[in-house]
Amino acid sequence: MIYNKKVTAIILAAGNSVRYGKNRNKNFEKINGKSVLQYSIECFDNNDKIDDILIASKENELDIINKIISDLNLNKKVQLIVGGRSRKESVYKCITKTNSDIVIIHDGARPAIKPIYIDKCLNTMKEYRGASVGIKAKDTIKITNQDGIVLETTKRSNTWQIHTPQCFNRKILVKAHENCKDDDVITDDCMLLENLGYKIKLVEDDYTNIKLTNYEDLNILKQYIGDKRDIINWLNEKFIYIRKVVQKIRKTFIKSDIDNLEADK
């Protein structure tokens, strides 16, 4: 809950993974023994601003995701929703299955999302009706026609690459979806609110919030998440070592105090 408003997280995992090119759902790929989807679920489950979680799933993959959920010790209620034929349909099915004031929508295939960006996105909901995280483009972006002929070059200073999560006033998002039911050009929910004239606030995240789109992305994510895990393991080992040293020092001082007391007698 934020600003006394209920928040539902919607995690999308019902896509066809066509660009992934491996004839399987990329959300189920393993990194350090955990599925990509599990990383996303855990991040939202551990956020105290999130009240509950909906996961969009293919009907024939409900059992797989149920198994992932049952193996986790989750704090929040999680409900599976059978997704639609497109991302837009899946989102609409989810936002009409909750009565929350705010929804925060995330690609299940972005396992490296950091809690701070979930918070920053939600914090915009006091002033705006829609928001998204993203990064300012490092490369020059050119707009072309269907034949690859350049029509326009954007300015890098105000060109963004959009990520998830994205936050919305749920009732306005429902209205925006119903206003554009037959529009197949929509690639994210911000576009729907833009069509209704709402201002969308962009919040800068970082380049580690990678979406697993192509198979090559899996190796990048494995390296990043693996490196992060190695650092955590190293810190844990150091903490255990320091604790043992402190305990040893304590025992030495206690023994010394006891010896001094005995000597005083």
Side-chain angles (χ1 to χ4, degrees):
M1 186 168 285
I2 188 169
Y3 308 126
N4 293 318
K5 294 180 178 180
K6 185 180 176 185
V7 180
T8 292
I10 295 172
I11 300 176
L12 303 175
N16 293 316
S17 301
V18 173
R19 287 178 291 176
Y20 192 60
K22 294 295 178 181
N23 198 30
R24 59 179 180 264
N25 191 331
K26 59 194 178 186
N27 286 279
F28 304 147
E29 294 286 20
K30 295 290 182 72
I31 300 175
N32 292 335
K34 292 166 59 172
S35 69
V36 167
L37 180 60
Q38 181 178 336
Y39 284 98
S40 295
I41 294 171
E42 288 178 333
C43 193
F44 283 89
D45 183 65
N46 291 328
N47 190 293
D48 59 6
K49 294 181 177 68
I50 305 297
D51 293 288
D52 63 339
I53 300 171
L54 301 182
I55 302 175
S57 166
K58 283 186 168 186
E59 190 166 15
N60 64 349
E61 293 176 343
L62 288 171
D63 289 343
I64 299 173
I65 297 181
N66 263 321
K67 178 68 167 59
I68 292 172
I69 293 168
S70 64
D71 288 343
L72 301 175
N73 185 24
L74 299 177
N75 304 305
K76 296 176 173 57
K77 178 184 176 183
V78 179
Q79 182 181 356
L80 298 189
I81 307 295
V82 176
R85 294 170 298 172
S86 64
R87 184 186 193 280
K88 186 156 71 78
E89 281 187 25
S90 293
V91 170
Y92 182 72
K93 284 190 169 190
C94 288
I95 62 177
T96 52
K97 291 290 185 181
T98 177
N99 61 359
S100 287
D101 305 291
I102 295 169
V103 290
I104 178 165
I105 301 168
H106 185 63
D107 299 321
R110 290 187 189 271
I113 178 61
K114 295 174 182 172
I116 188 173
Y117 299 129
I118 295 174
D119 289 341
K120 284 185 174 183
C121 194
L122 285 169
N123 288 341
T124 66
M125 289 292 96
K126 188 172 185 178
E127 186 175 353
Y128 298 92
R129 299 296 175 263
S132 177
V133 300
I135 51 173
K136 290 183 179 179
K138 289 194 297 186
D139 301 315
T140 299
I141 307 294
K142 293 186 181 290
I143 299 170
T144 71
N145 62 16
Q146 292 180 341
D147 298 320
I149 304 300
V150 174
L151 302 177
E152 182 182 353
T153 301
T154 67
K155 292 182 180 179
R156 277 186 297 182
S157 59
N158 59 5
T159 300
W160 291 63
Q161 295 169 238
I162 299 304
H163 294 164
T164 66
Q166 299 181 343
C167 301
F168 302 96
N169 174 296
R170 187 190 67 85
K171 288 183 178 178
I172 290 175
L173 184 60
V174 169
K175 177 184 174 183
H177 268 268
E178 291 175 346
N179 192 58
C180 297
K181 275 189 174 180
D182 299 323
D183 191 342
D184 294 328
V185 180
I186 301 296
T187 56
D188 80 333
D189 295 279
C190 291
M191 292 175 68
L192 294 168
L193 266 70
E194 290 165 31
N195 288 344
L196 293 181
Y198 287 96
K199 292 180 180 178
I200 301 297
K201 176 64 175 175
L202 296 185
V203 177
E204 192 165 11
D205 63 350
D206 62 50
Y207 292 91
T208 64
N209 189 14
I210 303 162
K211 184 179 180 182
L212 178 55
T213 302
N214 303 311
Y215 188 67
E216 293 78 13
D217 299 327
L218 184 61
N219 289 327
I220 298 171
L221 282 164
K222 281 181 176 179
Q223 183 172 358
Y224 170 67
I225 293 175
D227 288 347
K228 188 165 65 170
R229 186 180 179 183
D230 288 342
I231 291 170
I232 292 170
N233 288 339
W234 181 82
L235 289 171
N236 283 336
E237 287 172 5
K238 290 298 179 186
F239 175 76
I240 292 168
Y241 172 75
I242 291 168
R243 188 171 61 182
K244 285 180 179 178
V245 170
V246 170
Q247 287 171 345
K248 189 175 181 180
I249 293 171
R250 271 184 185 168
K251 286 178 181 178
T252 302
F253 275 109
I254 290 170
K255 185 177 184 303
S256 177
D257 289 342
I258 292 171
D259 290 344
N260 289 335
L261 286 171
E262 290 294 331
D264 290 341
K265 288 180 182 179

